[in-house]
Structure formats: C-alpha cells, structure tokens
Amino acid sequence: QVQLVESGGGLVQAGGSLTLSCAVVSGNFFGINTMGWYRQAPGKQRESVATITRGGTKNYGDAVKGRFIISRDNTRKTVSLQMNNLSPEDTGVYYCKAEPWGPPMPDSWGPGTQVTVSS
C-alpha cells in the first residue's frame, strides 16, 4: 500500500478551471500500475473520472471527456487532473487512487479534496 495526498481543490465559478494533484508520499511506488481520479457527489455513488496507466494509457469518464486532462509524472510520483469548463455537476469530493500491478499489494486511496463549482 502507498500513502496518497491530494491538493488543489477549492471553489470555482462555472466555466472556470482547477488542477488537482496527487502525490505518492510513502510506500512502494514501483508497485503501482494505474493511478486515477474518482469523485463522489452528495447522495451519489463514487464514479471514475479519469485513469492513467504506468505506460500512459488514459481513460476518461463520459461526463468529463473533452474537458478534463489527466497526466502523470513517474519521476515525481504524481498524477494531476486538469479540469476545464467546470459545471456545478462536477461538484464533489475528488479522490486519488493507486492500483497495484497485482496482489498482495492492495489499492490505495487518498483522503479526498473538495471541489465546489458555483453557478
């Protein structure tokens, strides 16, 4: 397992932009394959926003395609999420997740960072 720390959340107006960052601050970084961002809005289930593999393959949720960009720096052990053209529907707690290549290393989650988009 690794320890993840997110940053960059906050309050932004609709149409604005925010960039979230997640750093692996401890643990076996080389045991991680996929890193990603997930979000959970009040009263809703957690959903996948974007993921990126060690090799750079990216996947985006349908709701954010064309607006969000995920990137990864394996040297700095960070993953970022650039969020553009934000809407109130993007409001929620955003969590960073690290998935290992396989067992026995478990998935790791960050504590989350709040993103609030005002209309």
Side-chain angles (χ1 to χ4, degrees):
Q1 196 170 15
V2 297
Q3 183 178 2
L4 305 171
V5 176
E6 302 109 334
S7 61
L11 174 65
V12 64
Q13 289 187 333
S17 299
L18 276 177
T19 298
L20 306 181
S21 294
C22 171
V24 179
V25 297
S26 67
N28 180 15
F29 175 76
F30 296 101
I32 300 170
N33 178 17
T34 301
M35 296 191 71
W37 289 94
Y38 294 72
R39 68 185 182 188
Q40 188 165 17
K44 295 187 177 181
Q45 289 189 333
R46 191 172 298 189
E47 64 175 350
S48 176
V49 176
T51 62
I52 183 168
T53 67
R54 174 64 69 93
T57 299
K58 304 175 184 180
N59 280 289
Y60 294 94
D62 289 341
V64 306
K65 284 179 181 177
R67 299 188 299 123
F68 290 12
I69 300 172
I70 190 169
S71 60
R72 176 171 176 164
D73 187 330
N74 291 324
T75 300
R76 296 185 177 183
K77 303 180 184 180
T78 59
V79 62
S80 297
L81 184 69
Q82 180 180 339
M83 306 185 293
N84 302 312
N85 193 22
L86 286 160
S87 72
E89 289 69 34
D90 295 313
T91 294
V93 180
Y94 283 68
Y95 298 91
C96 179
K97 181 184 179 184
E99 300 175 17
W101 292 98
M105 184 174 173
D107 293 345
S108 301
W109 290 88
T113 185
Q114 177 71 44
V115 172
T116 303
V117 185
S118 63
S119 58

